[in-house]
Coordinates of all heavy atoms in Angstrom, one line a residue:
M1012 N -153.4 -130.6 -107.2 CA -152.0 -130.5 -107.6 C -151.2 -129.7 -106.5 O -150.0 -130.1 -106.2 CB -151.9 -129.9 -108.9 CG -150.4 -129.6 -109.3 SD -150.2 -130.0 -111.0 CE -148.6 -129.5 -111.3
N1013 N -151.8 -128.7 -105.9 CA -151.1 -127.9 -104.9 C -150.6 -128.7 -103.8 O -149.5 -128.5 -103.2 CB -152.0 -126.7 -104.5 CG -151.2 -125.8 -103.6 OD1 -150.0 -125.6 -103.8 ND2 -151.9 -125.1 -102.8
E1014 N -151.4 -129.7 -103.3 CA -151.1 -130.5 -102.2 C -149.8 -131.3 -102.5 O -149.0 -131.6 -101.6 CB -152.2 -131.4 -101.7 CG -152.6 -132.5 -102.6 CD -153.7 -132.0 -103.6 OE1 -154.1 -130.8 -103.5 OE2 -154.2 -132.8 -104.4
H1015 N -149.6 -131.7 -103.7 CA -148.4 -132.5 -104.1 C -147.2 -131.6 -104.1 O -146.1 -132.0 -103.7 CB -148.6 -133.1 -105.5 CG -149.7 -134.1 -105.5 ND1 -149.7 -135.3 -104.8 CD2 -150.9 -134.1 -106.2 CE1 -150.9 -135.9 -105.0 NE2 -151.6 -135.2 -105.9
L1016 N -147.4 -130.4 -104.6 CA -146.3 -129.4 -104.6 C -145.8 -129.0 -103.2 O -144.7 -128.9 -102.9 CB -146.6 -128.2 -105.4 CG -146.8 -128.4 -106.9 CD1 -147.3 -127.1 -107.6 CD2 -145.5 -128.9 -107.5
S1017 N -146.8 -128.8 -102.3 CA -146.4 -128.4 -101.0 C -145.7 -129.5 -100.2 O -145.0 -129.3 -99.2 CB -147.7 -127.9 -100.2 OG -148.6 -129.0 -100.0
Q1018 N -145.9 -130.8 -100.6 CA -145.3 -131.9 -99.9 C -143.9 -132.2 -100.5 O -143.2 -133.0 -100.0 CB -146.2 -133.1 -99.9 CG -147.5 -132.9 -99.1 CD -148.4 -134.1 -99.3 OE1 -148.1 -135.0 -100.0 NE2 -149.6 -134.0 -98.6
A1019 N -143.6 -131.6 -101.6 CA -142.4 -131.9 -102.3 C -141.2 -131.4 -101.5 O -141.3 -130.3 -100.9 CB -142.4 -131.3 -103.7
G1020 N -140.1 -132.1 -101.5 CA -138.9 -131.7 -100.8 C -137.9 -131.1 -101.8 O -138.0 -131.2 -103.0
F1021 N -136.9 -130.4 -101.2 CA -135.8 -129.9 -102.0 C -134.7 -130.9 -102.1 O -134.5 -131.6 -101.2 CB -135.3 -128.5 -101.5 CG -136.4 -127.4 -101.5 CD1 -137.2 -127.2 -100.5 CD2 -136.5 -126.7 -102.7 CE1 -138.2 -126.2 -100.5 CE2 -137.5 -125.7 -102.8 CZ -138.3 -125.4 -101.7
L1022 N -134.0 -130.9 -103.2 CA -132.9 -131.8 -103.4 C -131.8 -131.7 -102.3 O -131.2 -132.7 -101.9 CB -132.3 -131.7 -104.7 CG -133.2 -132.0 -105.9 CD1 -132.5 -131.8 -107.2 CD2 -133.6 -133.5 -105.8
D1023 N -131.6 -130.5 -101.8 CA -130.5 -130.3 -100.8 C -131.1 -130.1 -99.4 O -130.4 -129.6 -98.6 CB -129.6 -129.1 -101.2 CG -130.4 -127.8 -101.4 OD1 -131.7 -127.9 -101.4 OD2 -129.8 -126.8 -101.5
G1024 N -132.3 -130.5 -99.2 CA -132.9 -130.4 -97.8 C -133.9 -129.4 -97.7 O -134.1 -128.6 -98.7
P1025 N -134.6 -129.3 -96.6 CA -135.7 -128.3 -96.4 C -135.1 -126.9 -96.3 O -134.0 -126.7 -95.9 CB -136.4 -128.8 -95.1 CG -135.4 -129.6 -94.4 CD -134.5 -130.2 -95.5
R1026 N -135.9 -126.0 -96.7 CA -135.6 -124.5 -96.6 C -135.9 -124.0 -95.2 O -137.0 -124.2 -94.7 CB -136.3 -123.7 -97.7 CG -136.0 -124.2 -99.1 CD -134.6 -123.7 -99.5 NE -134.4 -123.9 -100.9 CZ -133.4 -124.7 -101.3 NH1 -132.7 -125.4 -100.5 NH2 -133.3 -124.9 -102.6
N1027 N -135.1 -123.2 -94.7 CA -135.3 -122.4 -93.5 C -135.6 -121.0 -93.9 O -134.7 -120.2 -94.0 CB -134.1 -122.5 -92.5 CG -134.4 -121.8 -91.2 OD1 -135.4 -121.0 -91.1 ND2 -133.6 -122.1 -90.2
K1028 N -136.9 -120.7 -94.1 CA -137.3 -119.4 -94.6 C -136.9 -118.3 -93.7 O -136.6 -117.2 -94.1 CB -138.8 -119.4 -94.8 CG -139.2 -120.3 -96.0 CD -140.7 -120.3 -96.2 CE -141.1 -121.3 -97.3 NZ -142.5 -121.3 -97.5
D1029 N -137.0 -118.5 -92.3 CA -136.6 -117.4 -91.4 C -135.2 -117.1 -91.5 O -134.8 -116.0 -91.5 CB -137.0 -117.8 -90.0 CG -138.5 -117.8 -89.7 OD1 -139.2 -117.1 -90.4 OD2 -138.9 -118.5 -88.8
Q1030 N -134.3 -118.1 -91.7 CA -132.9 -117.9 -91.9 C -132.6 -117.1 -93.2 O -131.8 -116.2 -93.2 CB -132.1 -119.2 -91.8 CG -130.6 -119.0 -91.9 CD -130.0 -118.3 -90.7 OE1 -130.3 -118.7 -89.6 NE2 -129.3 -117.2 -91.0
I1031 N -133.3 -117.5 -94.2 CA -133.2 -116.8 -95.5 C -133.5 -115.3 -95.4 O -132.8 -114.5 -95.9 CB -134.0 -117.5 -96.6 CG1 -133.4 -118.9 -96.9 CG2 -134.0 -116.7 -97.9 CD1 -134.3 -119.8 -97.7
R1032 N -134.7 -115.1 -94.7 CA -135.1 -113.7 -94.4 C -134.0 -113.0 -93.6 O -133.7 -111.8 -93.8 CB -136.4 -113.6 -93.7 CG -137.6 -113.9 -94.6 CD -138.9 -113.9 -93.9 NE -139.1 -112.9 -92.9 CZ -139.6 -113.0 -91.7 NH1 -140.1 -114.2 -91.3 NH2 -139.8 -112.0 -90.9
A1033 N -133.5 -113.6 -92.6 CA -132.5 -113.0 -91.7 C -131.2 -112.6 -92.5 O -130.7 -111.6 -92.3 CB -132.1 -113.9 -90.6
D1034 N -130.8 -113.5 -93.4 CA -129.6 -113.3 -94.2 C -129.9 -112.1 -95.2 O -128.9 -111.4 -95.6 CB -129.2 -114.5 -95.0 CG -128.7 -115.6 -94.1 OD1 -128.4 -115.3 -92.9 OD2 -128.7 -116.8 -94.5
A1035 N -131.1 -112.0 -95.7 CA -131.4 -110.9 -96.7 C -131.6 -109.6 -96.1 O -131.6 -108.6 -96.8 CB -132.6 -111.4 -97.5
W1036 N -131.9 -109.5 -94.7 CA -132.2 -108.2 -94.1 C -131.0 -107.2 -94.3 O -129.9 -107.6 -94.1 CB -132.5 -108.4 -92.7 CG -132.9 -107.1 -92.0 CD1 -134.0 -106.4 -92.0 CD2 -132.0 -106.2 -91.2 NE1 -133.9 -105.2 -91.3 CE2 -132.7 -105.1 -90.8 CE3 -130.6 -106.4 -90.8 CZ2 -132.1 -104.1 -90.1 CZ3 -130.1 -105.4 -90.1 CH2 -130.8 -104.3 -89.7
K1037 N -131.3 -105.9 -94.6 CA -130.3 -104.9 -94.7 C -130.8 -103.7 -94.0 O -132.0 -103.3 -94.0 CB -130.1 -104.5 -96.2 CG -129.4 -105.6 -97.0 CD -129.1 -105.1 -98.4 CE -128.3 -106.0 -99.2 NZ -128.8 -107.3 -99.4
W1038 N -129.9 -103.0 -93.3 CA -130.2 -101.7 -92.6 C -130.7 -100.7 -93.6 O -130.1 -100.6 -94.7 CB -128.9 -101.2 -92.0 CG -129.0 -99.9 -91.3 CD1 -128.8 -98.7 -91.8 CD2 -129.4 -99.7 -89.9 NE1 -129.0 -97.7 -90.9 CE2 -129.3 -98.3 -89.7 CE3 -129.7 -100.6 -88.8 CZ2 -129.7 -97.8 -88.4 CZ3 -130.0 -100.0 -87.6 CH2 -130.0 -98.6 -87.4
D1039 N -131.7 -100.0 -93.2 CA -132.3 -99.0 -94.1 C -132.5 -97.7 -93.3 O -133.4 -97.7 -92.4 CB -133.6 -99.5 -94.7 CG -134.2 -98.5 -95.8 OD1 -133.9 -97.3 -95.7 OD2 -134.8 -99.1 -96.7
E1040 N -131.8 -96.7 -93.6 CA -131.8 -95.4 -92.9 C -133.2 -94.8 -92.9 O -133.7 -94.2 -92.0 CB -130.8 -94.5 -93.5 CG -130.3 -93.4 -92.5 CD -129.6 -93.9 -91.3 OE1 -128.7 -94.8 -91.4 OE2 -129.9 -93.5 -90.2
R1041 N -133.9 -94.9 -94.1 CA -135.2 -94.3 -94.2 C -136.2 -95.1 -93.3 O -137.1 -94.4 -92.7 CB -135.7 -94.4 -95.7 CG -134.9 -93.6 -96.6 CD -135.2 -93.9 -98.1 NE -135.0 -95.3 -98.3 CZ -135.5 -96.0 -99.3 NH1 -136.3 -95.4 -100.1 NH2 -135.2 -97.2 -99.5
M1042 N -136.1 -96.4 -93.2 CA -137.0 -97.1 -92.3 C -136.8 -96.8 -90.9 O -137.7 -96.7 -90.1 CB -136.9 -98.6 -92.6 CG -137.5 -99.1 -93.9 SD -139.3 -98.9 -94.0 CE -139.4 -97.8 -95.3
E1043 N -135.5 -96.6 -90.6 CA -135.1 -96.3 -89.2 C -135.7 -94.9 -88.8 O -136.2 -94.7 -87.7 CB -133.6 -96.3 -89.0 CG -133.0 -97.7 -89.1 CD -133.5 -98.7 -88.1 OE1 -133.7 -98.3 -86.9 OE2 -133.5 -99.9 -88.4
A1044 N -135.7 -94.0 -89.8 CA -136.3 -92.7 -89.6 C -137.8 -92.8 -89.4 O -138.3 -92.1 -88.5 CB -135.9 -91.7 -90.7
L1045 N -138.4 -93.6 -90.1 CA -139.9 -93.8 -90.0 C -140.2 -94.4 -88.6 O -141.2 -94.1 -88.0 CB -140.4 -94.8 -91.0 CG -140.9 -94.1 -92.3 CD1 -141.4 -95.2 -93.3 CD2 -142.0 -93.2 -92.1
A1046 N -139.3 -95.4 -88.1 CA -139.5 -96.0 -86.8 C -139.4 -94.9 -85.7 O -140.2 -94.9 -84.8 CB -138.5 -97.1 -86.6
T1047 N -138.4 -94.0 -85.9 CA -138.3 -92.9 -84.9 C -139.5 -92.0 -84.9 O -140.0 -91.6 -83.9 CB -137.0 -92.1 -85.3 OG1 -135.9 -93.0 -85.2 CG2 -136.8 -91.0 -84.3
L1048 N -140.0 -91.7 -86.1 CA -141.2 -90.9 -86.2 C -142.4 -91.5 -85.6 O -143.2 -90.9 -84.9 CB -141.5 -90.6 -87.7 CG -142.7 -89.8 -88.0 CD1 -142.5 -88.3 -87.5 CD2 -143.1 -89.8 -89.5
K1049 N -142.5 -92.8 -85.8 CA -143.6 -93.6 -85.2 C -143.6 -93.5 -83.6 O -144.7 -93.4 -83.0 CB -143.5 -95.1 -85.6 CG -144.6 -96.0 -85.0 CD -144.3 -97.4 -85.5 CE -145.3 -98.4 -84.8 NZ -145.0 -99.7 -85.2
E1050 N -142.4 -93.5 -83.1 CA -142.3 -93.5 -81.6 C -142.4 -92.0 -81.1 O -143.1 -91.8 -80.1 CB -140.9 -94.0 -81.2 CG -140.8 -95.5 -81.4 CD -141.8 -96.3 -80.7 OE1 -142.1 -96.0 -79.5 OE2 -142.3 -97.3 -81.3
S1051 N -141.8 -91.1 -81.8 CA -141.8 -89.7 -81.3 C -143.1 -88.9 -81.7 O -143.5 -88.0 -80.9 CB -140.6 -89.0 -81.8 OG -140.6 -88.8 -83.2
Q1052 N -143.7 -89.2 -82.8 CA -144.9 -88.4 -83.2 C -145.9 -89.4 -83.8 O -146.1 -89.4 -85.0 CB -144.5 -87.4 -84.3 CG -143.5 -86.3 -83.8 CD -143.1 -85.4 -84.9 OE1 -143.7 -85.3 -86.0 NE2 -142.0 -84.6 -84.7
P1053 N -146.6 -90.1 -82.9 CA -147.5 -91.2 -83.5 C -148.7 -90.6 -84.2 O -149.2 -91.2 -85.2 CB -148.0 -91.9 -82.2 CG -147.5 -91.0 -81.0 CD -146.4 -90.2 -81.5
E1054 N -149.1 -89.3 -83.9 CA -150.2 -88.7 -84.6 C -149.8 -88.5 -86.1 O -150.6 -88.7 -87.0 CB -150.6 -87.4 -84.0 CG -150.7 -87.3 -82.5 CD -149.4 -87.1 -81.8 OE1 -148.5 -86.4 -82.4 OE2 -149.2 -87.7 -80.8
T1055 N -148.6 -88.0 -86.3 CA -148.1 -87.7 -87.6 C -148.0 -89.0 -88.4 O -148.4 -89.1 -89.6 CB -146.8 -87.0 -87.6 OG1 -146.9 -85.8 -86.9 CG2 -146.3 -86.7 -89.0
F1056 N -147.4 -90.0 -87.7 CA -147.2 -91.3 -88.4 C -148.6 -91.9 -88.8 O -148.7 -92.5 -89.9 CB -146.5 -92.3 -87.4 CG -146.2 -93.6 -88.0 CD1 -145.2 -93.8 -88.9 CD2 -147.0 -94.7 -87.7 CE1 -145.0 -95.1 -89.5 CE2 -146.8 -95.9 -88.2 CZ -145.8 -96.1 -89.1
D1057 N -149.6 -91.8 -87.9 CA -150.9 -92.3 -88.3 C -151.5 -91.7 -89.5 O -152.4 -92.3 -90.1 CB -151.9 -92.2 -87.1 CG -151.5 -93.1 -85.9 OD1 -150.8 -94.1 -86.2 OD2 -152.0 -92.9 -84.8
H1058 N -151.1 -90.5 -89.8 CA -151.7 -89.8 -91.0 C -150.9 -90.1 -92.3 O -151.2 -89.6 -93.4 CB -151.8 -88.3 -90.8 CG -152.9 -87.9 -89.8 ND1 -152.7 -87.8 -88.5 CD2 -154.2 -87.8 -90.0 CE1 -153.8 -87.5 -87.9 NE2 -154.8 -87.5 -88.8
M1059 N -149.8 -90.9 -92.2 CA -149.0 -91.2 -93.4 C -149.8 -92.2 -94.2 O -150.7 -92.9 -93.7 CB -147.7 -91.7 -92.9 CG -146.8 -90.7 -92.3 SD -145.2 -91.3 -92.0 CE -144.5 -91.4 -93.6
G1060 N -149.3 -92.4 -95.4 CA -150.0 -93.4 -96.3 C -149.8 -94.8 -95.8 O -148.8 -95.2 -95.1
I1061 N -150.7 -95.7 -96.2 CA -150.7 -97.1 -95.8 C -149.4 -97.8 -96.3 O -148.9 -98.7 -95.6 CB -151.9 -97.8 -96.2 CG1 -152.0 -99.2 -95.6 CG2 -152.0 -97.9 -97.7 CD1 -152.3 -99.2 -94.2
T1062 N -148.9 -97.4 -97.4 CA -147.7 -98.1 -98.0 C -146.5 -97.9 -97.1 O -145.8 -98.9 -96.8 CB -147.4 -97.6 -99.4 OG1 -148.6 -97.8 -100.2 CG2 -146.2 -98.3 -100.0
A1063 N -146.3 -96.7 -96.6 CA -145.2 -96.4 -95.7 C -145.3 -97.2 -94.4 O -144.4 -97.7 -93.9 CB -145.1 -94.9 -95.5
R1064 N -146.5 -97.2 -93.9 CA -146.8 -97.9 -92.6 C -146.6 -99.4 -92.8 O -146.0 -100.1 -91.9 CB -148.1 -97.6 -92.0 CG -148.2 -96.1 -91.6 CD -149.5 -95.7 -90.9 NE -150.5 -95.6 -91.9 CZ -151.8 -95.9 -91.7 NH1 -152.2 -96.4 -90.6 NH2 -152.6 -95.7 -92.7
M1065 N -147.1 -100.0 -93.9 CA -146.9 -101.4 -94.1 C -145.4 -101.7 -94.3 O -144.9 -102.7 -93.8 CB -147.7 -101.8 -95.3 CG -149.2 -101.9 -95.1 SD -150.1 -102.4 -96.5 CE -149.5 -104.0 -96.9
S1066 N -144.7 -100.9 -95.1 CA -143.3 -101.1 -95.3 C -142.5 -101.1 -94.0 O -141.6 -102.0 -93.8 CB -142.7 -100.0 -96.2 OG -143.3 -100.1 -97.5
L1067 N -142.9 -100.2 -93.1 CA -142.2 -100.2 -91.8 C -142.5 -101.5 -91.0 O -141.6 -102.0 -90.4 CB -142.6 -99.0 -91.0 CG -142.0 -98.9 -89.6 CD1 -140.4 -98.8 -89.7 CD2 -142.5 -97.7 -88.9
G1068 N -143.7 -101.9 -91.1 CA -144.1 -103.2 -90.4 C -143.3 -104.4 -90.9 O -142.8 -105.1 -90.1
Y1069 N -143.1 -104.5 -92.2 CA -142.3 -105.6 -92.8 C -140.9 -105.4 -92.4 O -140.2 -106.4 -92.0 CB -142.4 -105.6 -94.3 CG -143.7 -106.2 -94.9 CD1 -144.6 -105.4 -95.6 CD2 -144.0 -107.5 -94.6 CE1 -145.8 -105.9 -96.1 CE2 -145.2 -108.1 -95.1 CZ -146.1 -107.3 -95.8 OH -147.2 -107.8 -96.3
Y1070 N -140.4 -104.2 -92.4 CA -139.0 -103.9 -92.1 C -138.7 -104.3 -90.6 O -137.7 -105.0 -90.3 CB -138.6 -102.5 -92.3 CG -137.2 -102.1 -91.9 CD1 -136.2 -102.4 -92.7 CD2 -137.0 -101.4 -90.7 CE1 -134.9 -102.0 -92.3 CE2 -135.7 -101.1 -90.3 CZ -134.7 -101.4 -91.1 OH -133.4 -101.1 -90.8
E1071 N -139.6 -103.9 -89.7 CA -139.5 -104.2 -88.3 C -139.5 -105.7 -88.0 O -138.8 -106.2 -87.2 CB -140.5 -103.5 -87.5 CG -140.2 -102.0 -87.4 CD -141.3 -101.2 -86.6 OE1 -142.5 -101.6 -86.6 OE2 -140.9 -100.2 -86.0
N1072 N -140.4 -106.4 -88.7 CA -140.5 -107.9 -88.6 C -139.3 -108.6 -89.1 O -138.8 -109.5 -88.4 CB -141.8 -108.4 -89.3 CG -143.0 -108.1 -88.6 OD1 -143.1 -107.9 -87.4 ND2 -144.1 -108.1 -89.4
N1073 N -138.8 -108.1 -90.2 CA -137.5 -108.7 -90.7 C -136.3 -108.4 -89.8 O -135.4 -109.2 -89.7 CB -137.3 -108.3 -92.2 CG -138.3 -108.9 -93.1 OD1 -138.8 -110.0 -92.8 ND2 -138.5 -108.3 -94.2
K1074 N -136.3 -107.2 -89.3 CA -135.2 -106.8 -88.4 C -135.2 -107.7 -87.1 O -134.2 -108.1 -86.7 CB -135.4 -105.3 -88.0 CG -134.3 -104.8 -87.1 CD -134.5 -103.3 -86.8 CE -133.4 -102.7 -85.9 NZ -133.6 -101.3 -85.7
K1075 N -136.4 -107.9 -86.6 CA -136.5 -108.7 -85.4 C -136.1 -110.2 -85.7 O -135.4 -110.8 -84.9 CB -138.0 -108.8 -84.9 CG -138.2 -109.6 -83.6 CD -139.6 -109.7 -83.2 CE -139.8 -110.6 -82.0 NZ -139.2 -111.9 -82.1
N1076 N -136.5 -110.7 -86.9 CA -136.1 -112.0 -87.3 C -134.6 -112.1 -87.5 O -134.0 -113.1 -87.1 CB -136.8 -112.3 -88.6 CG -136.5 -113.7 -89.1 OD1 -136.7 -114.7 -88.3 ND2 -136.0 -113.9 -90.3
A1077 N -134.0 -111.1 -88.0 CA -132.5 -111.0 -88.2 C -131.8 -111.1 -86.8 O -130.8 -111.8 -86.6 CB -132.1 -109.8 -89.0
A1078 N -132.3 -110.3 -85.9 CA -131.8 -110.3 -84.5 C -131.9 -111.7 -83.9 O -131.0 -112.1 -83.2 CB -132.4 -109.2 -83.7
D1079 N -133.0 -112.3 -84.1 CA -133.3 -113.6 -83.5 C -132.3 -114.7 -84.1 O -132.1 -115.7 -83.4 CB -134.7 -114.1 -83.8 CG -135.7 -113.3 -83.0 OD1 -135.4 -112.6 -82.0 OD2 -136.9 -113.4 -83.3
H1080 N -131.8 -114.4 -85.3 CA -130.9 -115.3 -85.9 C -129.5 -114.9 -85.8 O -128.6 -115.3 -86.5 CB -131.3 -115.5 -87.4 CG -132.4 -116.4 -87.6 ND1 -133.7 -116.0 -87.5 CD2 -132.5 -117.8 -87.8 CE1 -134.6 -117.0 -87.6 NE2 -133.8 -118.1 -87.8
G1081 N -129.2 -114.0 -84.8 CA -127.8 -113.6 -84.5 C -127.2 -112.5 -85.3 O -126.0 -112.2 -85.2
R1082 N -128.0 -111.8 -86.2 CA -127.5 -110.7 -86.9 C -127.4 -109.5 -86.1 O -128.2 -109.3 -85.1 CB -128.4 -110.4 -88.1 CG -128.5 -111.4 -89.2 CD -127.4 -111.2 -90.2 NE -127.2 -109.9 -90.7 CZ -127.8 -109.3 -91.8 NH1 -128.7 -110.0 -92.4 NH2 -127.5 -108.1 -92.1
N1083 N -126.4 -108.6 -86.3 CA -126.3 -107.3 -85.7 C -127.2 -106.4 -86.3 O -127.1 -106.1 -87.5 CB -124.8 -106.8 -85.8 CG -124.7 -105.5 -85.2 OD1 -125.5 -104.9 -84.5 ND2 -123.5 -104.9 -85.4
V1084 N -128.2 -105.9 -85.6 CA -129.2 -105.0 -86.2 C -129.1 -103.6 -85.7 O -129.9 -102.7 -85.9 CB -130.7 -105.5 -85.9 CG1 -130.9 -106.8 -86.6 CG2 -130.9 -105.6 -84.4
N1085 N -127.9 -103.3 -85.1 CA -127.6 -101.9 -84.7 C -127.2 -101.1 -85.9 O -127.1 -101.6 -87.0 CB -126.5 -101.9 -83.6 CG -126.9 -102.6 -82.3 OD1 -128.1 -102.5 -81.9 ND2 -126.0 -103.4 -81.7
K1086 N -126.9 -99.8 -85.7 CA -126.6 -98.9 -86.8 C -125.6 -99.6 -87.7 O -124.5 -100.0 -87.4 CB -126.1 -97.6 -86.3 CG -125.9 -96.6 -87.4 CD -125.9 -95.2 -86.9 CE -125.7 -94.3 -88.1 NZ -126.9 -93.8 -88.6
G1087 N -126.0 -99.7 -89.0 CA -125.1 -100.3 -90.0 C -125.5 -101.7 -90.3 O -125.5 -102.2 -91.4
G1088 N -125.9 -102.4 -89.3 CA -126.5 -103.8 -89.5 C -125.5 -104.8 -90.1 O -126.0 -105.7 -90.8
K1089 N -124.3 -104.7 -89.9 CA -123.3 -105.7 -90.5 C -123.3 -107.0 -89.8 O -123.4 -107.1 -88.6 CB -121.9 -105.1 -90.5 CG -121.8 -103.8 -91.3 CD -121.8 -104.1 -92.8 CE -121.8 -102.7 -93.5 NZ -121.9 -102.8 -94.9

């Protein structure tokens, strides 16, 4: 059944998942602070919990995707 669902189309055309992620990305001051910590104090960052490190990874991937799709990812991210 899964193979049938994965081949199904949407009524209004195929979805561009990367564009949807780019549109949904929002500037997050806490994630930016974590990114700064990762660069300035990698030893401290390595001792942080896995959840914070994974969250930063997702944030950085989504930020890069937003930039690739023409979004302003500088401070404020408007």
Side-chain angles (χ1 to χ4, degrees):
M1012 174 137 173
N1013 189 26
E1014 66 271 1
H1015 299 293
L1016 292 175
S1017 65
Q1018 294 174 0
F1021 293 96
L1022 295 177
D1023 57 350
R1026 299 283 188 246
N1027 183 343
K1028 292 179 183 179
D1029 287 337
Q1030 183 64 54
I1031 293 169
R1032 283 178 43 222
D1034 293 342
W1036 179 81
K1037 290 184 174 59
W1038 178 269
D1039 188 328
E1040 204 64 48
R1041 295 171 300 159
M1042 290 293 119
E1043 295 294 330
L1045 269 179
T1047 302
L1048 179 69
K1049 179 181 173 183
E1050 295 298 319
S1051 64
Q1052 298 178 15
E1054 318 80 36
T1055 303
F1056 181 79
D1057 288 342
H1058 287 96
M1059 294 186 70
I1061 188 72
T1062 303
R1064 291 185 284 147
M1065 286 179 61
S1066 295
L1067 179 61
Y1069 283 118
Y1070 178 80
E1071 289 177 331
N1072 286 338
N1073 288 336
K1074 182 178 179 180
K1075 181 187 178 309
N1076 184 52
D1079 291 346
H1080 282 84
R1082 292 276 312 272
N1083 176 9
V1084 294
N1085 296 322
K1086 187 160 178 93
K1089 299 283 180 189

